[in-house]
Amino acid sequence: MDKNNIKKNNVYISEEEKTLNWNEIQDSFKKSFGSEIYTSWLQKISLVKEYNDYLILGVPTRFFRDWIVSRYLDKILEQVKSFKLSLNRIEFKIIEEAKNTSDLIKIDEYNKVTEIKDSLLNYNRLNSSLNFENFIQGKSNDIALSYSKKVCEHLSRYNPLYICGGVGLGKTHLLNAIGLELQSENNVMFISAERFMYHFIKSIKKNDMVNFKDFFRKSSVFIIDDIQFIRGKESLQEEFFHTFNSLMDKGSQIIISADRIPVKLDRVQERIKSRLAGGLVVDIDTPDLELKVKIIKKKILEIESQFKENINLSEDVINYIANESKTNIRELIGILNRVIAFGRVHNKILTVNDCKNILKDVFSQIKIITVDKIQNVVSNYFNIPLSDMLSQRRSRPLARPRQIAMFLAKKMTTRSLPEIGRRFANRDHTTVIHAVKTITRLSDQDDEMKKNINQIKSLLLE
Ligand code: ADP
Ligand code: MG
């Protein structure tokens, strides 16, 4: 890699440098993956942005992304690399298709509100897969769930309904489920506080506050997610307060989520806090083992029926995963996906020990980390050319970084030892084993080594 290239890393490249022709790449996918896989999966991927060293690709759903990542990512990367050598990483962005956008645009053709609507459809559309049906009840979410349902039966009785709890515990899922339940007979608005601010600021800039107010105040069910986002943002709070009041005045139902109870919302005006707490406040607690196990089992069934695939996880493994994930259901599902993906790749029934290995470093595993990326980051870190690091030369200043890269490839990807060896200029798997042992030992004994490894890891996880 030459110096210019390194400098360009992570910088969005200029128009002239965009080199990829996505149609051409799609054609090559079709050839190499075969038309069946191509039409069910690859065809639906779009190119969102091209950077010098990585691509952002668009996919329709989270599940779609997980599936692609676990089965086809390496091959996709290899393929796009053949069109552009400097690429070493792929990221995915979930782009939901806008439903009925064209109709709305027609109705509002001359109305500026279209833009807000349009953007809301893209970013805040209700997700049909987060419904009451697949929200599993447990001790920790029992009350929140039952009041979410009650709100749907008796609009305006609990107003506002305020659902709070830590990250990844199901708040957005519940809000979304309420929205789905009510949308056929009500004018439902579902938005995150962050997105609300985005429209607010945009409308101020365009001097278009009238439309903004109209738009947000005409809903009969107003659902706003992650209200803690307004902390410390005075003018946003002001606007929210007015929106809130005018909605309440006309009897609209308001549902709010937050990561904490109203009184704990520091840097939020008192009058807003008391408004937020003025209806019903319910919280979601961290899940117990029983709920986690139920959720895992339900997820497995979902995957099996969606993909006509048998997923064979023993009770032991399920319990192990449930125990391993301490507090957060999002993380729990991430871990499960990881384990399932590993089982698929290696085509075997997993033991608890396998899972231990897979989850050794859960957080780094969940990120998409490729051997290529590790090699690039390590060679940059030690300031040596990648070609030297991969070469057969054995001098210590090259050999150590090479071993560190192999060690990290083993720890942070699901590649097997022989596969890793091949990617290091066709070395034998025993060389990789030796590298892993050496670096494991050194990072135990040597603080400097430990520090290096940790810094490289965090660069990889950035
Ligand atoms: P939050 O908004 O509180 O951070 P989310 O609603 O995004 O959390 O939930 C994180 C993930 O966990 C989502 O995929 C959601 O569907 C799932 N989840 C949370 N609670 C449950 C539950 N009780 N049953 C099924 N899935 C759940
Ligand atoms: Mg959320």
Side-chain angles (χ1 to χ4, degrees):
M1 201 184 274
D2 67 54
K3 276 224 164 73
N4 284 333
N5 241 343
I6 293 173
K7 265 191 201 145
K8 267 191 278 182
N9 270 357
N10 295 322
V11 176
Y12 183 49
I13 57 178
S14 62
E15 285 295 323
E16 310 82 69
E17 286 176 283
K18 275 190 202 161
T19 55
L20 292 175
N21 174 342
W22 192 242
N23 289 334
E24 207 179 339
I25 297 178
Q26 284 277 1
D27 282 343
S28 83
F29 284 159
K30 199 174 192 169
K31 282 193 201 106
S32 61
F33 286 88
S35 66
E36 199 176 320
I37 294 179
Y38 174 75
T39 38
S40 352
W41 300 104
L42 283 301
Q43 193 177 29
K44 300 191 176 106
I45 305 179
S46 58
L47 177 62
V48 177
K49 253 188 182 176
E50 178 185 342
Y51 291 82
N52 183 44
D53 61 339
Y54 72 104
L55 295 181
I56 300 183
L57 301 181
V59 291
T61 62
R62 252 178 228 181
F63 193 88
F64 190 104
R65 177 196 60 197
D66 293 343
W67 189 262
I68 294 279
V69 167
S70 66
R71 307 203 133 186
Y72 309 124
L73 182 62
D74 281 346
K75 205 163 163 195
I76 294 175
L77 183 61
E78 204 175 289
Q79 198 101 15
V80 292
K81 261 178 104 93
S82 69
F83 288 87
K84 185 171 173 182
L85 212 58
S86 59
L87 293 172
N88 59 35
R89 181 162 56 100
I90 289 176
E91 282 179 10
F92 290 96
K93 185 171 176 194
I94 290 142
I95 299 175
E96 297 181 27
E97 298 156 43
K99 229 195 222 165
N100 302 330
T101 321
S102 52
D103 292 346
L104 278 163
I105 286 178
K106 251 181 248 148
I107 296 165
D108 282 332
E109 210 149 32
Y110 299 105
N111 188 342
K112 283 184 191 155
V113 167
T114 310
E115 199 183 328
I116 303 180
K117 235 180 212 169
D118 205 16
S119 146
L120 273 168
L121 279 169
N122 282 323
Y123 293 98
N124 301 290
R125 206 158 56 82
L126 291 164
N127 180 342
S128 61
S129 64
L130 302 175
N131 49 42
F132 281 129
E133 204 123 279
N134 62 16
F135 189 87
I136 319 271
Q137 182 183 13
K139 285 194 195 87
S140 53
N141 60 31
D142 195 21
I143 293 176
L145 175 60
S146 76
Y147 280 101
S148 296
K149 287 183 174 166
K150 279 189 190 154
V151 152
C152 299
E153 287 161 24
H154 308 282
L155 284 176
S156 308
R157 183 178 294 181
Y158 312 100
N159 211 4
L161 176 67
Y162 183 103
I163 302 177
C164 55
V167 80
L169 296 183
K171 301 182 298 293
T172 302
H173 191 139
L174 277 182
L175 258 48
N176 201 96
I178 296 173
L180 287 173
E181 194 73 19
L182 293 174
Q183 71 175 352
S184 60
E185 295 185 1
N186 299 275
N187 183 354
V188 173
M189 166 85 49
F190 174 59
I191 190 168
S192 68
E194 187 178 358
R195 206 72 206 160
F196 184 78
M197 180 174 93
Y198 167 84
H199 288 297
F200 174 57
I201 291 179
K202 213 162 129 187
S203 305
I204 292 175
K205 279 194 188 144
K206 289 181 140 186
N207 208 357
D208 196 17
M209 280 307 290
V210 178
N211 271 317
F212 176 88
K213 287 181 201 292
D214 275 3
F215 186 70
F216 284 101
R217 290 175 193 185
K218 69 172 185 244
S219 53
S220 61
V221 175
F222 184 73
I223 308 176
I224 186 157
D225 202 4
D226 289 322
I227 198 72
Q228 73 275 0
F229 184 81
I230 67 172
R231 286 159 62 232
K233 303 187 176 75
E234 277 299 322
S235 58
L236 182 66
Q237 289 181 24
E238 200 66 32
E239 188 54 40
F240 175 73
F241 186 66
H242 293 307
T243 304
F244 186 100
N245 287 341
S246 78
L247 286 166
M248 288 294 269
D249 283 347
K250 71 182 201 96
S252 300
Q253 171 71 48
I254 300 177
I255 301 122
I256 298 159
S257 85
D259 65 355
R260 63 198 83 187
I261 54 174
V263 288
K264 289 249 171 80
L265 288 168
D266 53 306
R267 293 180 294 136
V268 170
Q269 297 168 14
E270 285 305 321
R271 56 179 189 162
I272 293 185
K273 283 196 262 196
S274 72
R275 275 292 202 167
L276 294 176
L280 181 69
V281 177
V282 291
D283 76 337
I284 310 184
D285 214 338
T286 51
D288 57 11
L289 189 66
E290 193 189 335
L291 177 58
K292 287 189 281 187
V293 168
K294 272 201 218 159
I295 289 175
I296 294 176
K297 290 187 173 164
K298 170 88 177 185
K299 277 277 152 204
I300 292 175
L301 287 179
E302 271 174 32
I303 296 173
E304 287 186 327
S305 79
Q306 195 170 358
F307 294 95
K308 318 235 169 331
E309 178 188 24
N310 204 6
I311 290 170
N312 224 330
L313 293 186
S314 67
E315 288 289 323
D316 282 352
V317 165
I318 291 174
N319 276 316
Y320 176 77
I321 298 173
N323 260 316
E324 198 60 18
S325 162
K326 297 285 180 270
T327 55
N328 175 331
I329 294 171
R330 185 177 302 134
E331 180 195 292
L332 177 77
I333 296 170
I335 292 177
L336 176 68
N337 282 333
R338 188 79 209 169
V339 168
I340 292 175
F342 189 89
R344 276 189 199 123
V345 173
H346 295 266
N347 204 4
K348 65 183 280 202
I349 297 177
L350 300 173
T351 63
V352 170
N353 242 338
D354 291 329
C355 293
K356 275 189 193 151
N357 282 327
I358 300 167
L359 303 178
K360 244 182 216 151
D361 202 342
V362 172
F363 293 104
S364 56
Q365 298 262 359
I366 285 172
K367 297 261 174 179
I368 306 162
I369 290 174
T370 61
V371 176
D372 281 332
K373 180 167 183 200
I374 294 173
Q375 292 175 337
N376 280 310
V377 169
V378 173
S379 67
N380 278 343
Y381 182 86
F382 290 105
N383 213 0
I384 53 177
L386 183 60
S387 55
D388 286 359
M389 190 177 88
L390 298 181
S391 74
Q392 302 299 329
R393 285 158 55 197
R394 290 173 175 218
S395 67
R396 166 117 355 141
L398 296 178
R400 274 289 181 264
R402 185 184 300 141
Q403 288 178 320
I404 290 175
M406 287 182 188
F407 165 85
L408 292 172
K410 182 63 200 143
K411 298 286 170 195
M412 300 178 84
T413 75
T414 52
R415 300 279 137 232
S416 67
L417 294 166
E419 277 172 313
I420 294 172
R422 274 198 293 282
R423 281 154 184 258
F424 282 79
N426 257 329
R427 286 176 162 78
D428 194 69
H429 74 278
T430 53
T431 312
V432 184
I433 295 177
H434 178 69
V436 173
K437 279 191 182 151
T438 309
I439 301 303
T440 309
R441 178 171 45 80
L442 287 178
S443 59
D444 274 349
Q445 298 165 348
D446 178 6
D447 284 344
E448 185 64 25
M449 179 61 92
K450 195 184 286 172
K451 202 183 87 200
N452 286 338
I453 302 262
N454 283 335
Q455 279 176 352
I456 297 171
K457 269 193 188 166
S458 49
L459 286 172
L460 283 163
L461 294 172
E462 242 169 30

